[in-house]
Amino acid sequence: MMTYCSWNEQKCLDLLEQPFFELIQLAYAVHQKNFTAGDMEFCTLANIKTGACPEDCAYCPQSAHYNTGLKKEKLMDLASVVAAASNAKLNGAKRFCMGAAWRKPSQKDLPKVVAMIRAVKDLGLETCVTLGMLEAEDALALKESGLDFYNHNLDSSAEFYSTIIQTHTYEDRLNTLKHVMAAGINVCSGGILGMGETRVDRIKMLLTLYELPITPKSIPINQLIPIPGTPLAKAPLLDPFELIKTIALTRILFPEARIRLSAGRENMTDETQAWCFMAGANSIFIGDKLLTAKNPRLERDRALLKKLNMQFPEEINA
Ligand code: SAM
Ligand code: DTB
Ligand code: SF4
């Protein structure tokens, strides 16, 4: 079995190119050392502001640059957020993640999000928000509210990123992560697979995350949900083994991180998901909806995890 003390592109490629079962065995050994068998983290998403985003991210249904037929909605009110979070808690979520389709939060909206974070924390839930780019003082205000995680994905390699987004840069993404880390908020950052990027792009993204001064505790791996109307609507389907191998590599590089099998599970077979869990994914979103796209229904997730003898939170209100 190969061992590595530091990582670079070639070492990652070598890992991915060894026999599949060797890779999975190595990843599962790392996983077993750091997590209890069958353990799974459950998070629920809420889209607190929908559509009309000025950014042009080629995968995103919420970008104002593409006609995806999405109905735009203003910032949710506090009571509706609390109701959604209470429901998520009843269904067994440990963390409530709030997303807003913004380039960056305005000074008018940020205090409203701060109030939401406080209210969700009062319910006894962990909090995560994803609001676009942050300045240093925004991050401090969010920290002050008690925010646990800030989600801001690198999404791909720097080179590939510039082919799918023109309205902001990779450097902008890294700057936001810098402010999040400086404020003492946990980083949640990962990527999307299946946008037409190469294996090397995926490796470079993971190595950029690896080189951050504070290792992310939470790494979402999304599989592209092709959205009609976006430039990536017809992107070629990702081979499920490429997804599984990327999860395995993520587990090996980040032994202690929660790896979230994030968007795209609705289009995956149970067997693909099971392989992803074996390769090291140990967090999922539960609930019928992600931000705008479908997520597997609770019944399907419950049945899958039961078949695998893995934890599923019993519905308190069943
Ligand atoms: N505006 C904020 C931002 O860009 O950071 C927050 C919301 S944005 C929707 C959060 C993440 O959702 C993106 O970084 C991307 O990884 C993921 N995402 C968006 N559209 C997706 C799609 N069609 N398929 C898979 N993941 C997607
Ligand atoms: C992340 O990496 N994936 C989530 C969360 N962070 C905010 C979002 C997935 C969005 C999928 C497309 C949609 O629902 O609109
Ligand atoms: Fe979508 Fe976020 Fe890009 Fe806006 S910044 S288009 S919400 S991914």
Side-chain angles (χ1 to χ4, degrees), residues 53 55 57 59-60 63 101-102:
C53 181
E55 303 305 280
C57 312
Y59 46 78
C60 187
S63 165
W102 288 327

Side-chain angles (χ1 to χ4, degrees), residues 9 14 29 42 108 110 157 162 184 202 223 225 243 269 272 283 305:
E9 203 179 300
D14 291 348
F42 301 98
K108 178 170 101 6
L110 194 65
S157 67
S162 63
R202 296 192 272 275
Q223 174 172 284
I225 303 175
L243 167 71
T269 64
T272 295
S283 176
L305 294 183

